[in-house]
mmCIF file of all heavy atoms in Angstrom:
data_model
loop_
_atom_site.group_PDB
_atom_site.id
_atom_site.type_symbol
_atom_site.label_atom_id
_atom_site.label_comp_id
_atom_site.label_asym_id
_atom_site.label_seq_id
_atom_site.Cartn_x
_atom_site.Cartn_y
_atom_site.Cartn_z
ATOM 1 N N LEU A 1 -6.191 11.072 4.373
ATOM 2 C CA LEU A 1 -7.106 12.187 4.171
ATOM 3 C C LEU A 1 -8.122 11.925 3.055
ATOM 4 O O LEU A 1 -9.291 12.123 3.316
ATOM 5 C CB LEU A 1 -6.338 13.429 4.015
ATOM 6 C CG LEU A 1 -7.147 14.712 3.589
ATOM 7 C CD1 LEU A 1 -7.886 15.223 4.823
ATOM 8 C CD2 LEU A 1 -6.187 15.760 3.109
ATOM 9 N N ALA A 2 -7.532 11.361 1.952
ATOM 10 C CA ALA A 2 -8.472 11.094 0.804
ATOM 11 C C ALA A 2 -9.437 10.069 1.164
ATOM 12 O O ALA A 2 -10.539 10.040 0.803
ATOM 13 C CB ALA A 2 -7.580 10.706 -0.433
ATOM 14 N N ALA A 3 -8.950 8.958 1.879
ATOM 15 C CA ALA A 3 -9.853 7.845 2.288
ATOM 16 C C ALA A 3 -10.962 8.339 3.189
ATOM 17 O O ALA A 3 -12.098 7.931 3.052
ATOM 18 C CB ALA A 3 -8.974 6.766 3.019
ATOM 19 N N ARG A 4 -10.648 9.294 4.113
ATOM 20 C CA ARG A 4 -11.670 9.863 4.983
ATOM 21 C C ARG A 4 -12.692 10.665 4.167
ATOM 22 O O ARG A 4 -13.907 10.516 4.417
ATOM 23 C CB ARG A 4 -11.068 10.684 6.062
ATOM 24 C CG ARG A 4 -12.034 11.360 7.026
ATOM 25 C CD ARG A 4 -12.753 10.364 7.852
ATOM 26 N NE ARG A 4 -13.599 11.139 8.841
ATOM 27 C CZ ARG A 4 -14.847 10.717 9.208
ATOM 28 N NH1 ARG A 4 -15.374 9.640 8.664
ATOM 29 N NH2 ARG A 4 -15.529 11.485 10.023
ATOM 30 N N ALA A 5 -12.218 11.496 3.243
ATOM 31 C CA ALA A 5 -13.128 12.212 2.392
ATOM 32 C C ALA A 5 -14.075 11.328 1.660
ATOM 33 O O ALA A 5 -15.231 11.555 1.523
ATOM 34 C CB ALA A 5 -12.361 13.075 1.522
ATOM 35 N N LYS A 6 -13.533 10.274 1.072
ATOM 36 C CA LYS A 6 -14.244 9.304 0.310
ATOM 37 C C LYS A 6 -15.346 8.673 1.194
ATOM 38 O O LYS A 6 -16.529 8.451 0.769
ATOM 39 C CB LYS A 6 -13.367 8.290 -0.331
ATOM 40 C CG LYS A 6 -13.979 7.453 -1.384
ATOM 41 C CD LYS A 6 -13.026 6.662 -2.218
ATOM 42 C CE LYS A 6 -13.718 6.107 -3.404
ATOM 43 N NZ LYS A 6 -12.780 5.620 -4.397
ATOM 44 N N GLU A 7 -14.919 8.318 2.422
ATOM 45 C CA GLU A 7 -15.869 7.684 3.392
ATOM 46 C C GLU A 7 -17.028 8.614 3.696
ATOM 47 O O GLU A 7 -18.143 8.117 3.946
ATOM 48 C CB GLU A 7 -15.023 7.479 4.688
ATOM 49 C CG GLU A 7 -15.702 6.764 5.789
ATOM 50 C CD GLU A 7 -14.739 6.597 6.971
ATOM 51 O OE1 GLU A 7 -13.807 5.790 6.868
ATOM 52 O OE2 GLU A 7 -14.836 7.331 7.949
ATOM 53 N N LEU A 8 -16.761 9.940 3.672
ATOM 54 C CA LEU A 8 -17.864 10.963 3.858
ATOM 55 C C LEU A 8 -18.548 11.349 2.595
ATOM 56 O O LEU A 8 -19.290 12.306 2.573
ATOM 57 C CB LEU A 8 -17.237 12.132 4.579
ATOM 58 C CG LEU A 8 -16.610 11.938 5.961
ATOM 59 C CD1 LEU A 8 -15.877 13.141 6.424
ATOM 60 C CD2 LEU A 8 -17.712 11.651 6.944
ATOM 61 N N ASN A 9 -18.342 10.624 1.526
ATOM 62 C CA ASN A 9 -18.819 10.978 0.176
ATOM 63 C C ASN A 9 -18.499 12.331 -0.337
ATOM 64 O O ASN A 9 -19.313 13.000 -0.986
ATOM 65 C CB ASN A 9 -20.400 10.777 0.236
ATOM 66 C CG ASN A 9 -20.741 9.318 0.465
ATOM 67 O OD1 ASN A 9 -20.253 8.419 -0.176
ATOM 68 N ND2 ASN A 9 -21.663 9.148 1.366
ATOM 69 N N CYS A 10 -17.314 12.778 -0.027
ATOM 70 C CA CYS A 10 -16.802 14.028 -0.492
ATOM 71 C C CYS A 10 -15.873 13.901 -1.689
ATOM 72 O O CYS A 10 -15.032 12.968 -1.666
ATOM 73 C CB CYS A 10 -16.039 14.762 0.633
ATOM 74 S SG CYS A 10 -17.015 15.209 2.015
ATOM 75 N N SER A 11 -15.983 14.720 -2.605
ATOM 76 C CA SER A 11 -15.140 14.612 -3.858
ATOM 77 C C SER A 11 -13.856 15.517 -3.807
ATOM 78 O O SER A 11 -13.008 15.407 -4.551
ATOM 79 C CB SER A 11 -15.891 14.957 -5.090
ATOM 80 O OG SER A 11 -16.402 16.264 -4.952
ATOM 81 N N ILE A 12 -13.872 16.382 -2.738
ATOM 82 C CA ILE A 12 -12.749 17.288 -2.519
ATOM 83 C C ILE A 12 -12.341 17.162 -1.016
ATOM 84 O O ILE A 12 -13.201 17.083 -0.107
ATOM 85 C CB ILE A 12 -13.053 18.703 -2.843
ATOM 86 C CG1 ILE A 12 -13.371 18.844 -4.363
ATOM 87 C CG2 ILE A 12 -11.954 19.677 -2.428
ATOM 88 C CD1 ILE A 12 -13.831 20.214 -4.784
ATOM 89 N N ALA A 13 -11.022 17.153 -0.763
ATOM 90 C CA ALA A 13 -10.517 17.233 0.600
ATOM 91 C C ALA A 13 -9.464 18.388 0.713
ATOM 92 O O ALA A 13 -8.590 18.476 -0.154
ATOM 93 C CB ALA A 13 -9.791 15.861 0.940
ATOM 94 N N LEU A 14 -9.718 19.210 1.654
ATOM 95 C CA LEU A 14 -8.855 20.364 1.916
ATOM 96 C C LEU A 14 -8.047 20.174 3.156
ATOM 97 O O LEU A 14 -8.557 19.652 4.166
ATOM 98 C CB LEU A 14 -9.738 21.621 2.115
ATOM 99 C CG LEU A 14 -10.650 22.018 0.989
ATOM 100 C CD1 LEU A 14 -11.508 23.200 1.498
ATOM 101 C CD2 LEU A 14 -9.989 22.205 -0.313
ATOM 102 N N TYR A 15 -6.804 20.570 3.113
ATOM 103 C CA TYR A 15 -5.920 20.470 4.275
ATOM 104 C C TYR A 15 -4.813 21.527 4.252
ATOM 105 O O TYR A 15 -4.554 22.065 3.221
ATOM 106 C CB TYR A 15 -5.328 19.086 4.390
ATOM 107 C CG TYR A 15 -4.197 18.707 3.386
ATOM 108 C CD1 TYR A 15 -2.846 18.743 3.792
ATOM 109 C CD2 TYR A 15 -4.521 18.417 2.103
ATOM 110 C CE1 TYR A 15 -1.856 18.436 2.909
ATOM 111 C CE2 TYR A 15 -3.517 18.070 1.169
ATOM 112 C CZ TYR A 15 -2.224 18.121 1.482
ATOM 113 O OH TYR A 15 -1.243 17.844 0.676
ATOM 114 N N GLY A 16 -4.211 21.738 5.377
ATOM 115 C CA GLY A 16 -3.101 22.661 5.450
ATOM 116 C C GLY A 16 -1.898 21.873 6.073
ATOM 117 O O GLY A 16 -1.494 20.815 5.544
ATOM 118 N N HIS A 17 -1.364 22.434 7.087
ATOM 119 C CA HIS A 17 -0.259 21.794 8.002
ATOM 120 C C HIS A 17 1.131 21.798 7.375
ATOM 121 O O HIS A 17 2.071 21.981 7.986
ATOM 122 C CB HIS A 17 -0.840 20.377 8.451
ATOM 123 C CG HIS A 17 0.077 19.743 9.485
ATOM 124 N ND1 HIS A 17 0.399 20.366 10.667
ATOM 125 C CD2 HIS A 17 0.703 18.559 9.462
ATOM 126 C CE1 HIS A 17 1.105 19.542 11.382
ATOM 127 N NE2 HIS A 17 1.312 18.415 10.731
ATOM 128 N N THR A 18 1.234 21.411 6.065
ATOM 129 C CA THR A 18 2.556 21.191 5.478
ATOM 130 C C THR A 18 3.183 22.491 4.944
ATOM 131 O O THR A 18 4.357 22.566 4.660
ATOM 132 C CB THR A 18 2.528 20.278 4.292
ATOM 133 O OG1 THR A 18 1.793 20.869 3.204
ATOM 134 C CG2 THR A 18 1.893 18.877 4.715
ATOM 135 N N HIS A 19 2.355 23.574 4.860
ATOM 136 C CA HIS A 19 2.744 24.854 4.327
ATOM 137 C C HIS A 19 3.146 24.759 2.839
ATOM 138 O O HIS A 19 3.627 25.868 2.271
ATOM 139 C CB HIS A 19 3.975 25.502 5.172
ATOM 140 C CG HIS A 19 3.576 25.887 6.540
ATOM 141 N ND1 HIS A 19 4.141 26.964 7.211
ATOM 142 C CD2 HIS A 19 2.656 25.410 7.427
ATOM 143 C CE1 HIS A 19 3.632 27.053 8.405
ATOM 144 N NE2 HIS A 19 2.782 26.130 8.522
ATOM 145 N N GLN A 20 2.812 23.727 2.209
ATOM 146 C CA GLN A 20 3.204 23.564 0.763
ATOM 147 C C GLN A 20 1.873 23.429 -0.067
ATOM 148 O O GLN A 20 1.074 22.605 0.167
ATOM 149 C CB GLN A 20 4.007 22.398 0.556
ATOM 150 C CG GLN A 20 5.318 22.268 1.272
ATOM 151 C CD GLN A 20 6.192 23.350 0.869
ATOM 152 O OE1 GLN A 20 6.416 23.613 -0.304
ATOM 153 N NE2 GLN A 20 6.824 24.104 1.762
ATOM 154 N N ALA A 21 1.727 24.408 -1.029
ATOM 155 C CA ALA A 21 0.550 24.399 -1.917
ATOM 156 C C ALA A 21 0.656 23.069 -2.753
ATOM 157 O O ALA A 21 1.735 22.753 -3.276
ATOM 158 C CB ALA A 21 0.465 25.646 -2.791
ATOM 159 N N ARG A 22 -0.423 22.450 -2.923
ATOM 160 C CA ARG A 22 -0.416 21.130 -3.620
ATOM 161 C C ARG A 22 -1.877 20.747 -4.046
ATOM 162 O O ARG A 22 -2.771 21.029 -3.347
ATOM 163 C CB ARG A 22 0.155 20.110 -2.685
ATOM 164 C CG ARG A 22 0.367 18.719 -3.310
ATOM 165 C CD ARG A 22 1.113 17.857 -2.360
ATOM 166 N NE ARG A 22 1.340 16.591 -2.882
ATOM 167 C CZ ARG A 22 1.948 15.531 -2.280
ATOM 168 N NH1 ARG A 22 2.475 15.796 -1.085
ATOM 169 N NH2 ARG A 22 2.087 14.403 -2.865
ATOM 170 N N GLU A 23 -1.957 20.199 -5.205
ATOM 171 C CA GLU A 23 -3.294 19.614 -5.658
ATOM 172 C C GLU A 23 -2.925 18.307 -6.353
ATOM 173 O O GLU A 23 -2.122 18.289 -7.212
ATOM 174 C CB GLU A 23 -3.983 20.652 -6.586
ATOM 175 C CG GLU A 23 -5.301 20.073 -7.047
ATOM 176 C CD GLU A 23 -6.036 21.020 -8.022
ATOM 177 O OE1 GLU A 23 -5.727 22.195 -8.090
ATOM 178 O OE2 GLU A 23 -6.958 20.572 -8.634
ATOM 179 N N GLU A 24 -3.715 17.263 -6.020
ATOM 180 C CA GLU A 24 -3.542 16.053 -6.605
ATOM 181 C C GLU A 24 -4.890 15.173 -6.459
ATOM 182 O O GLU A 24 -5.761 15.618 -5.711
ATOM 183 C CB GLU A 24 -2.443 15.229 -5.992
ATOM 184 C CG GLU A 24 -2.595 14.888 -4.507
ATOM 185 C CD GLU A 24 -1.338 14.324 -3.908
ATOM 186 O OE1 GLU A 24 -0.849 13.278 -4.377
ATOM 187 O OE2 GLU A 24 -0.846 14.974 -2.979
ATOM 188 N N ILE A 25 -5.037 14.146 -7.325
ATOM 189 C CA ILE A 25 -6.199 13.310 -7.186
ATOM 190 C C ILE A 25 -5.742 11.960 -6.668
ATOM 191 O O ILE A 25 -4.832 11.354 -7.188
ATOM 192 C CB ILE A 25 -6.846 13.153 -8.593
ATOM 193 C CG1 ILE A 25 -7.328 14.461 -9.084
ATOM 194 C CG2 ILE A 25 -8.011 12.135 -8.469
ATOM 195 C CD1 ILE A 25 -7.955 14.559 -10.515
ATOM 196 N N ILE A 26 -6.387 11.603 -5.559
ATOM 197 C CA ILE A 26 -6.118 10.239 -4.937
ATOM 198 C C ILE A 26 -7.393 9.520 -4.804
ATOM 199 O O ILE A 26 -8.346 9.953 -4.195
ATOM 200 C CB ILE A 26 -5.480 10.466 -3.494
ATOM 201 C CG1 ILE A 26 -4.248 11.220 -3.646
ATOM 202 C CG2 ILE A 26 -5.243 9.097 -2.836
ATOM 203 C CD1 ILE A 26 -3.653 11.657 -2.243
ATOM 204 N N ASP A 27 -7.430 8.326 -5.545
ATOM 205 C CA ASP A 27 -8.641 7.434 -5.488
ATOM 206 C C ASP A 27 -9.898 8.234 -5.794
ATOM 207 O O ASP A 27 -10.931 7.982 -5.087
ATOM 208 C CB ASP A 27 -8.681 6.711 -4.160
ATOM 209 C CG ASP A 27 -9.568 5.457 -4.252
ATOM 210 O OD1 ASP A 27 -9.871 5.001 -5.264
ATOM 211 O OD2 ASP A 27 -9.996 5.066 -3.169
ATOM 212 N N GLY A 28 -9.794 9.078 -6.736
ATOM 213 C CA GLY A 28 -11.056 9.863 -7.169
ATOM 214 C C GLY A 28 -11.359 11.077 -6.334
ATOM 215 O O GLY A 28 -12.295 11.764 -6.647
ATOM 216 N N VAL A 29 -10.560 11.355 -5.335
ATOM 217 C CA VAL A 29 -10.760 12.582 -4.531
ATOM 218 C C VAL A 29 -9.817 13.601 -4.870
ATOM 219 O O VAL A 29 -8.525 13.351 -4.893
ATOM 220 C CB VAL A 29 -10.678 12.210 -2.996
ATOM 221 C CG1 VAL A 29 -10.779 13.452 -2.140
ATOM 222 C CG2 VAL A 29 -11.735 11.181 -2.635
ATOM 223 N N THR A 30 -10.183 14.835 -5.121
ATOM 224 C CA THR A 30 -9.283 15.948 -5.416
ATOM 225 C C THR A 30 -8.788 16.497 -4.036
ATOM 226 O O THR A 30 -9.631 16.874 -3.205
ATOM 227 C CB THR A 30 -9.947 17.068 -6.176
ATOM 228 O OG1 THR A 30 -10.343 16.550 -7.432
ATOM 229 C CG2 THR A 30 -8.982 18.193 -6.432
ATOM 230 N N VAL A 31 -7.492 16.348 -3.765
ATOM 231 C CA VAL A 31 -6.826 16.757 -2.537
ATOM 232 C C VAL A 31 -6.114 18.069 -2.730
ATOM 233 O O VAL A 31 -5.242 18.132 -3.567
ATOM 234 C CB VAL A 31 -5.987 15.640 -1.992
ATOM 235 C CG1 VAL A 31 -5.361 16.032 -0.710
ATOM 236 C CG2 VAL A 31 -6.787 14.255 -1.885
ATOM 237 N N ILE A 32 -6.492 19.069 -1.902
ATOM 238 C CA ILE A 32 -5.989 20.417 -2.158
ATOM 239 C C ILE A 32 -5.372 20.980 -0.806
ATOM 240 O O ILE A 32 -6.032 20.978 0.230
ATOM 241 C CB ILE A 32 -6.997 21.362 -2.641
ATOM 242 C CG1 ILE A 32 -7.612 20.836 -3.947
ATOM 243 C CG2 ILE A 32 -6.503 22.808 -2.759
ATOM 244 C CD1 ILE A 32 -8.924 21.607 -4.343
#
């Protein structure tokens, strides 16, 4: 997900699916 966001020049990636709140930085992308 972070790699796809970076490919699209996005600094933030949002996702659900796991039902678990989470925030982390992966390869410069804030994943929430």
Side-chain angles (χ1 to χ4, degrees):
L1 173 70
R4 177 67 174 143
K6 194 167 190 168
E7 186 180 285
L8 295 169
N9 296 312
C10 295
S11 59
I12 296 175
L14 305 175
Y15 72 103
H17 189 53
T18 68
H19 291 213
Q20 300 296 313
R22 185 173 179 178
E23 180 180 345
E24 61 190 302
I25 298 174
I26 301 173
D27 197 19
V29 176
T30 301
V31 180
I32 301 168

